[in-house]
Amino acid sequence: MSLAIAYAIPDLTHLRYYVPLATSLALRHSDISQVFVYTRSSSKYNGLAAHANYNRFTKVIDELGFTHVDVGSCDSTFDTLVTVEHSSMSIKSSRLVTLSHGFDSILGHAAALHASKCIYVTNSLIASAACDNDNVLHGLDIRTHSVPASMLQLDEYKRIAKLRFGKTDRKVMTVFYPDIGTTDIANSLISKFVAMGWHVYVKQRRKHQGISTTLGDHRYDEEWSPSESILLPLASDVTVGFGSTAYLDLCDVNVPYVNIDVRPNEHPWCRMLHPVSQSYVRIIDPDVDNIVQKILDFSPTLGFHMASEHIDFYDKLICNM
C-alpha cells in the first residue's frame, strides 16, 4: 500500500511551501499519494472563499497533476499530514509535520503545537529565538534545517525568475509588503530608486494598498506556482522589507535582503540573524536620508545551488514512517 500524504490548504500562501515540497517528493517516489485538502471557509484576502482564489488554487494543483479534495468530503486517515502555522483543519493522520512560516507559528499557535504533538520544522534561528522567549517551544519535537521547503525547487525557480522578470538591463529591486504605517518611507524610497533608473517591483498584499500606483511595478499575489514572493527576489539585485520576516526564507539561499527596521520594539526578532545569513542581510534604521546609500553599498557575493541533501531532509521526515 502506498504512502498517503495530505497537505492542509486554508489559503493560497500555503502553496509557497507545499508545491516545491510535493513536486520534489513526486520526482523521487512514484508510489506515494499526495492530496491537497482544502477549505473554503477563510475569507482572508488570500483565502479560498473568494471564487478567484479558489480558481487559482485548483488551476495550480490541476496543472501539477495532484489531487485536491474539500475537507468536508474527506474522511481518509493519512500517514502524514503537512501543515503550515498548524492549520490542520481536523484532517486525520498518523503523524503531523508543521512547517514554520516566519515567527507566526510560534507567536500565534504555540498552544496548538504542543497539544498536537507535531514535528515542528524550522531553522535554527527561529528555534533558538523561540526557546529563549519563555521557552515557547520547549518540549516540542523540533527539527531544524537551513533550507525552507519553499526553496526546494530553487534552481528551477531561478530559471523561471530570469525568464519572467529578468529581461532588463537596469538594476532591479523588490520592495516587500509596505503595510500600514510604513507607506510614507516606502513611497520616498521607491521614488528615489525609480529616479535613479532602477526597475522597482512593489509586492503588495491586496488588503494594503498604500503605495502610489504611479511608483514602481506593482504585483498583487497573482502567481502562486511559483509564488511571486519567491520569484521576484530571485530576479532582483536586492530586496527591501519593512519589518517582514520574509527574509527568513531568503537569506539562507543567499538572496540579498535589506530590512528597514520600522518597528524594533514590536518585532525585535527582525534583528536576529544567525551566522550563515549575516552576509546576505542588512538591518538598518528608517533614516530615509541614509537608506539609499546603504542599499547601494550592499553587494554581497552570491552563489547557492540546491543540493540533494536538502531534499533528503524533507524526504526522510515525511516519507519514512
Side-chain angles (χ1 to χ4, degrees), residues 226-280:
S227 166
E228 290 170 328
S229 297
I230 300 296
L231 293 182
L232 290 173
L234 294 178
S236 299
D237 295 282
V238 66
T239 295
V240 177
F242 297 85
S244 168
T245 55
Y247 75 92
L248 291 167
D249 276 7
L250 299 172
C251 60
D252 286 329
V253 292
N254 300 8
V255 175
Y257 192 96
V258 173
N259 178 42
I260 300 173
D261 194 13
V262 292
R263 295 188 290 267
N265 295 324
E266 181 181 351
H267 296 322
W269 56 82
C270 288
R271 287 187 175 272
M272 298 176 183
L273 295 175
H274 49 84
V276 174
S277 65
Q278 286 179 354
S279 299
Y280 302 96

Side-chain angles (χ1 to χ4, degrees), residues 119 121 123 237 240 244 297:
I119 299 172
V121 183
N123 66 30
D237 295 282
V240 177
S244 168
D297 291 341

Side-chain angles (χ1 to χ4, degrees), residues 9-214:
I9 298 280
D11 58 56
L12 289 170
T13 300
H14 287 59
L15 292 177
R16 184 194 311 174
Y17 298 90
Y18 295 159
V19 167
L21 177 56
T23 301
S24 298
L25 295 179
L27 291 172
R28 290 183 164 209
H29 303 281
S30 60
D31 60 341
I32 62 173
S33 167
Q34 299 189 92
V35 180
F36 288 72
V37 184
Y38 66 89
T39 177
R40 299 194 68 181
S41 62
S42 175
S43 58
K44 290 174 58 180
Y45 73 99
N46 57 352
L48 303 189
H51 195 63
N53 284 344
Y54 175 71
N55 287 342
R56 291 186 181 103
F57 162 68
T58 56
K59 182 175 184 291
V60 167
I61 302 306
D62 289 343
E63 288 181 348
L64 291 171
F66 293 117
T67 300
H68 53 82
V69 60
D70 190 301
V71 67
S73 59
C74 179
D75 58 2
S76 301
T77 297
F78 297 90
D79 295 301
T80 301
L81 171 62
V82 183
T83 74
V84 175
E85 301 178 328
H86 192 66
S87 304
S88 60
M89 296 162 28
S90 300
I91 302 167
K92 294 177 289 186
S93 66
S94 300
R95 181 172 57 170
L96 175 62
V97 175
T98 293
L99 309 177
S100 67
H101 175 60
F103 283 84
D104 290 355
S105 292
I106 295 171
L107 297 177
H109 303 275
L113 290 172
H114 281 282
S116 68
K117 296 181 171 57
C118 70
I119 299 172
Y120 183 70
V121 183
T122 187
N123 66 30
S124 58
L125 169 65
I126 295 177
S128 61
C131 289
D132 289 342
N133 180 18
D134 298 325
N135 291 318
V136 172
L137 297 185
H138 181 71
L140 283 182
D141 183 356
I142 302 174
R143 313 290 177 90
T144 61
H145 193 62
S146 60
V147 175
S150 59
M151 292 295 185
L152 290 178
Q153 295 287 307
L154 179 64
D155 293 336
E156 174 64 7
Y157 285 1
K158 284 181 178 179
R159 184 189 68 81
I160 295 172
K162 185 175 181 180
L163 287 174
R164 292 189 189 174
F165 303 111
K167 299 175 182 178
T168 177
D169 56 0
R170 294 187 287 168
K171 288 278 193 176
V172 179
M173 171 187 289
T174 291
V175 175
F176 254 144
Y177 307 134
D179 294 342
I180 296 171
T182 66
T183 52
D184 288 344
I185 187 173
N187 276 312
S188 175
L189 180 71
I190 294 166
S191 63
K192 289 182 179 182
F193 275 89
V194 169
M196 289 189 294
W198 284 55
H199 189 105
V200 180
Y201 291 107
V202 182
K203 180 70 175 69
Q204 291 203 115
R205 297 183 177 97
R206 290 195 176 278
K207 63 181 178 179
H208 294 145
Q209 303 292 309
I211 303 301
S212 171
T213 55
T214 63

Side-chain angles (χ1 to χ4, degrees), residues 36 290 299:
F36 288 72
N290 293 328
S299 56

